[in-house]
Amino acid sequence: MDKGYEIYKDFFTESEIESWEETIRCVYHFQALKMGFDSWDIDILVRFFEENSHDAGYHCALQCQQTMGGKWFASLPKIRELCSKILCSDFLTVLGPVPIVNIPESKRLIYQWHTEYHFHPKRRNFVNIWFPMFREKRRGAGTMVLAEGTHRQNWDFVEYSGYDVKELGKKHTYTQYEPVIKQPLEEVVMELDRKDMVIFHANLLHKSTVNTSNNITYATSIRVF
């Protein structure tokens, strides 16, 4: 990965991606039933949690990676073989898969420039997998942006809370890690179809963007160590 990333078109089959989507839908569905709400539509379920309980929706995402369906998906032979080749190891551990939801106009769960090394400072040999589910990812629809070639550099660790000044200190924002950028970056906007996948270096700068479309969009993150 000379550029720090590689895009794989049609990496997943329809049945593979559908199985993972069904797992996610089931988790959100049963979580909503506990709160007296019944739907099988993933968009309706996400909006229900956004309006009624951010915490319940957040725990849905955490629960997805603990399901048998999630473990099965993250352990697909094609993923294992590709990561073994990149990491030069047959012994792999996996964090995820974790669904990422991008609600139109929301800045609550998105990040500025950061690298995954900052989340795992003691784990130096790993890669990140990212791909859309339910519908495609496009510019303006809450996608990810990679900074090509930045994995070759060292990036300072800067800690702060919130996506921008208006979000600073809000209860439901994550603590984020933004390197100090002192040069122009070659930004590559991820425009991927359902079943496509990008895999990128742990030290590659990347960020998320605000979803300005009318649709909720979804992605999955997997880290392989």
Side-chain angles (χ1 to χ4, degrees):
M1 296 190 293
D2 291 339
K3 299 180 292 185
Y5 70 94
E6 194 70 46
I7 294 173
Y8 297 86
K9 304 295 290 184
D10 286 318
F11 183 82
F12 301 111
T13 66
E14 182 66 25
S15 62
E16 288 167 348
I17 202 75
E18 274 188 354
S19 176
W20 173 227
E21 291 170 343
E22 186 78 355
T23 296
I24 296 167
R25 193 181 288 108
C26 284
V27 171
Y28 277 78
H29 168 72
F30 286 115
Q31 181 83 313
L33 284 181
K34 298 175 188 176
M35 301 172 64
F37 183 76
D38 188 1
S39 177
W40 196 246
D41 185 289
I42 189 63
D43 289 346
I44 293 174
L45 289 165
V46 166
R47 291 194 183 279
F48 169 77
F49 290 119
E50 187 68 11
E51 294 170 3
N52 292 277
S53 176
H54 291 160
D55 287 340
Y58 174 67
H59 282 285
C60 284
L62 296 182
Q63 291 166 14
C64 285
Q65 66 179 320
Q66 302 302 328
T67 62
M68 292 297 290
K71 298 299 184 184
W72 171 83
F73 187 89
S75 302
L76 286 172
K78 63 176 71 176
I79 292 178
R80 184 173 66 249
E81 291 167 8
L82 177 60
C83 291
S84 292
K85 181 179 180 181
I86 294 173
L87 297 174
C88 299
S89 175
D90 291 327
F91 183 77
L92 305 176
T93 57
V94 177
L95 181 61
V98 178
I100 304 167
V101 179
N102 291 100
I103 298 168
E105 304 301 336
S106 175
K107 298 179 181 178
R108 188 167 54 84
L109 301 176
I110 62 176
Y111 291 82
Q112 295 282 8
W113 291 114
H114 65 286
T115 82
E116 299 306 309
Y117 268 172
H118 292 155
F119 290 96
H120 304 281
K122 296 183 179 181
R123 305 294 291 273
R124 308 306 292 176
N125 188 29
F126 67 97
V127 291
N128 307 283
I129 293 171
W130 186 93
F131 59 89
M133 329 87 78
F134 297 108
R135 52 178 61 96
E136 72 278 358
K137 282 285 192 177
R138 292 289 185 270
R139 184 186 299 270
T143 190
M144 181 172 65
V145 181
L146 304 178
E148 186 172 309
T150 54
H151 63 298
R152 304 188 190 95
Q153 304 174 53
N154 180 60
W155 300 101
D156 295 330
F157 180 93
V158 179
E159 187 174 15
Y160 73 102
S161 178
Y163 177 73
D164 56 21
V165 173
K166 293 181 180 179
E167 297 290 310
L168 286 176
K170 286 192 177 180
K171 180 179 178 181
H172 291 292
T173 56
Y174 288 133
T175 298
Q176 302 178 32
Y177 306 86
E178 179 173 300
V180 178
I181 309 299
K182 299 180 180 179
Q183 66 222 48
L185 301 176
E186 187 173 347
E187 298 186 11
V188 182
V189 180
M190 292 295 100
E191 295 196 292
L192 302 182
D193 294 325
R194 194 168 156 275
K195 298 189 290 185
D196 295 346
M197 179 189 80
V198 61
I199 187 167
F200 60 99
H201 194 280
N203 194 43
L204 188 74
L205 285 178
H206 58 288
K207 65 179 180 179
S208 38
T209 61
V210 176
N211 182 0
T212 58
S213 73
N214 294 322
N215 295 317
I216 300 172
T217 60
Y218 305 84
T220 290
S221 173
I222 304 174
R223 294 177 189 141
V224 182
F225 304 85

